Amino acid sequence: MDFDDTREEAEFRAEARAWLEAHTTLRQPDDAPEPGMGDEASQDLVARAKDWQGIKADSGWACITWPEEFGGRGASAIQNVIWNQEEGRYRTPPNIFTIGQGMLGPTIMAHGSPTQKERYLKKMLRGEEVWCQLFSEPSAGSDLAGLRTRAVRDGDDWIVNGQKIWTTGAHYSDYGMLLTRTDPGAPKHAGITYFIVDMSSPGIDIRPIRQINGATGFNEVFFSDVRIPDGNRVGAENDGWRGAITTLMNERAAIGGGGAGLGIKELIQLLRTTPYGDGVALDDDGIRQKLADFHARSTGLQYTGYRTLTALSRGQTPGPESSIGKLVGAPLRQEMAAFALEVLGAAGTITGGDLAMEHGAWQRMYLTMPGLRLAGGTDEILRNIIAERVLGLPAEVRVDKDKPFSEIPH
Amino acid sequence: MLRSDLGEPMNFDFSEDQKLLQKTARDFLESNAPLALCRSVLESNETYSSSLWKGAAEMGWLGAVVPEEYGGAGFGHLELSLLAYEVGRALAPIPMSSSVYLATEAILLAGDASQRERLLPPLADGSTIGTYAVAERRGPVTPGAIETRFENGRVSGAKVPVADAQAAQLAVIAANEAQGLSLVVAHLDHPSVTRISLPCIDGSRDQGRIEFSGTPAERIGAPGAGAELLAQIQHRAAVLVAFEQLGGAERAFELTREFCMQRYAFGRPIASFQALKHRMADMYCALELARSNAYYGAWALHHDAPELAEAACVARISATEAMHLATTEMIQLYGGVGYTWEYDCHLFYRRSQWLGLLLGSLPQWRERLVQALEAS
Ligand SMILES: Cc1cc2nc3c(=O)[nH]c(=O)nc-3n(C[C@H](O)[C@H](O)[C@H](O)COP(=O)(O)OP(=O)(O)OC[C@H]3O[C@@H](n4cnc5c(N)ncnc54)[C@H](O)[C@@H]3O)c2cc1C
């Protein structure tokens, strides 16, 4: 048991670091925070992210786990972790390509046609084209296979009508991965077809939705007689659920506990500097107990991550047990933010100006974490995954599984 | 805090050799320490299982970290952590914590060459059981509240509660002298020692009271170094006890899962009810966080790292929480049978409190953790 890289890992880290050193500069403690998940992506940010992605691609540092034929370098999962750690230490724009590169790209690799791979993957890797995930619908979230957006065959095209919702980044995306209902007479999982859709197609109407944190990260996307050529079908007709599973499995790997942001260190800083009774908040017994509880849960998660890294380093693939990261991490960070506000008292309501700690980042975290608890699987869905796929407990009773989709009440 | 310049650890697991040792321990305990053994000590007047203690000695566990020159196996703390884990899984009714994690560790840490040479071999071969006699009253142990005195090579005072007070032949004692609090060692077979067993929440383990009246004793460590030594010993023991707690929590959880899979209600296994699935998912999460923190504790203990205090605290806190959760839920998920003397749930429920209070309770460890964070 040790904390060191293997020799190959250390060499790889040094190589990554040398390249980053030559192309950007180290992040500094007083740098303004970059927007995170669920924050707004401005035009300027999209442009900066695309520029940086191009620079990485030119040197072979984009999508490093992808096979060489698609522009990657066939790097291992552990090398990817090392790369992300190193890149995170430098001044780089936030990655707006994760949904495409982390979830949709691998789906195209697994189920796409040779023409699709050739046409889309390189540009996805270079960040020239941004992608979004058109899965959820107003009446199909956790129960994704209940989706109702219709696609009907018309010669060499498909005509799509319906509505998607919560589509992160649709407003700056060039392409989307779309799940549609193509056979309402079949059971719900058996009548779905998966498409690539050009977001500039006539008949697509994108309406931003404002989130509780004030940002507009996601959208409603309406489809009215949108034509999609059959060549954009991913996988066989009515076999789209198979591709959806590939996407969702990659999503689990892509969304963690929320990564960077405020943590125990910043919380201690807040407790040390907030006047409380005759001293500061950190003197209070009740507060100290709570701080210890947060810290023990945080380290528990951090070292669970180390155990995953160890497994990756040995060439194993993490399975459903990695759901623990978001299931524990997101509520923990929500609780920590709420606690920080509580300690600040009435001043906890102030989100800017001198009274606000960390430029109001605690309040932003408080307003952002509820979304992280929903996105990519709610707490309940993650508990079901752990119960069924890790612990082997019986699956939920599904009353609608074998019925024709058209007969399912909704 | 961590060796972060080189990045994050890539080998955060035990080695194959270590896992083999663990497997041997599990096999041994499966044959020699079924839960019926724990129950038999609980139901008898015995304070521990002497046959299992002998077996553990023959397996080399008691001197696992004692150097070979003193009759030990010369393993490290990573190996001992895994042994503790297995002892915890088996709810083994033996004085591992008192003798191995506390008394032996104290002498290894503070004893001089001659003391190590005299005191360690009988501890390592199990012929002497050690204990740790520090507390004198209710509530947290604070060095300032210790009234036991050490003067002219003799110790006087009453210690309570003392785990394994009846079984032990040797005690590491906290006592005051002119220079302040010190640690001393005394043999308990002296006529000046009186001891009694006290009724205990976990009857498969023992608590008692020991009174010393001018008992011959020798100091370990520097005079006045007691408070600092106590803290170090507690941190070391906390990591090892955390592995016992982790093992106990894991076994309770496994049994609960199996029970829920075969118990039917409303025409289906109760394990198919979402309310119970989610409670088990939460037990699993608590167990995994505790496992990860315990690994970190083992790493820090093995390397005697500057992070040991913090690592011991987080290991202790989450292992205590995980075992409390697993054993409390165990009874509820079993239903009525879980509340019977006949079923084994209460063995786990009792042991969880015994281990959870042995080195001080959760609020005390949370406070210690914050002190460690403030210092770092
Ligand atoms: C910030 C954010 C970004 C998102 N980005 C995208 C995106 O880019 N693309 C996309 O397609 N989607 C996206 N989503 C949608 C997200 O996947 C869904 O919101 C999520 O799956 C929940 O679905 P729902 O909103 O329909 O809620 P519902 O599924 O209706 O859930 C409502 C409640 O019912 C509970 N529930 C549902 N089923 C069960 C069950 N079987 N057992 C127990 N409880 C259950 C849920 O846990 C929840 O508490 C995003 C969501 C958020 C918040």
Side-chain angles (χ1 to χ4, degrees), chain A residues 37 133 135-136 141-142 166 168 218 371 374-376 378 380 384, chain B residues 274:
Chain A
M37 197 217 106
Q133 178 193 17
F135 277 28
S136 303
S142 303
W166 322 128
T168 301
F218 55 30
L374 298 168
T378 64
E380 287 70 33
N384 279 349
Chain B
Q274 194 182 69

Side-chain angles (χ1 to χ4, degrees), chain A residues 304 306 310 383 388 391 396, chain B residues 9 12 257 277 282 292-293:
Chain A
T304 301
Y306 289 4
T310 303
R383 284 196 179 91
E388 293 173 20
L391 304 177
E396 292 293 288
Chain B
F12 203 55
R257 183 192 162 281
K277 285 165 70 175
D282 287 342
S292 302
N293 277 333

Side-chain angles (χ1 to χ4, degrees), chain A residues 225-270:
Chain A
D225 293 330
V226 175
R227 275 189 180 271
I228 301 179
D230 188 55
N232 280 17
R233 178 170 38 79
V234 180
E237 185 176 338
N238 293 327
D239 194 29
W241 188 248
R242 187 196 302 272
I245 297 277
T246 305
T247 310
L248 297 175
M249 286 191 9
N250 281 285
E251 180 163 27
R252 190 160 56 218
I255 305 189
L262 302 179
I264 292 292
K265 214 172 100 203
E266 290 77 17
L267 185 58
I268 293 180
Q269 184 57 20
L270 178 141

Side-chain angles (χ1 to χ4, degrees), chain A residues 2-3 9 13 85 288-289 295-296 299-300 303-304 306-307 310 314 321 383-384 388 391 394 396, chain B residues 2 6 8-13 257 274 277-278 282 284 288 292-293 296 299 310 363 367 370 374:
Chain A
D2 62 55
F3 273 61
E9 286 162 1
R13 192 182 290 281
Q85 286 169 353
R288 293 167 76 83
Q289 293 282 310
H295 183 73
T299 58
Y303 304 133
T304 301
Y306 289 4
R307 286 169 49 216
T310 303
R314 293 178 183 167
E321 69 280 0
R383 284 196 179 91
N384 279 349
E388 293 173 20
L391 304 177
E396 292 293 288
Chain B
L2 303 173
L6 258 184
E8 307 199 336
M10 303 304 171
N11 184 19
F12 203 55
D13 194 5
R257 183 192 162 281
Q274 194 182 69
K277 285 165 70 175
H278 285 191
D282 287 342
Y284 168 82
E288 290 310 301
S292 302
N293 277 333
Y296 177 49
W299 170 84
E310 183 235 330
E367 171 56 31
V370 174
E374 283 174 316

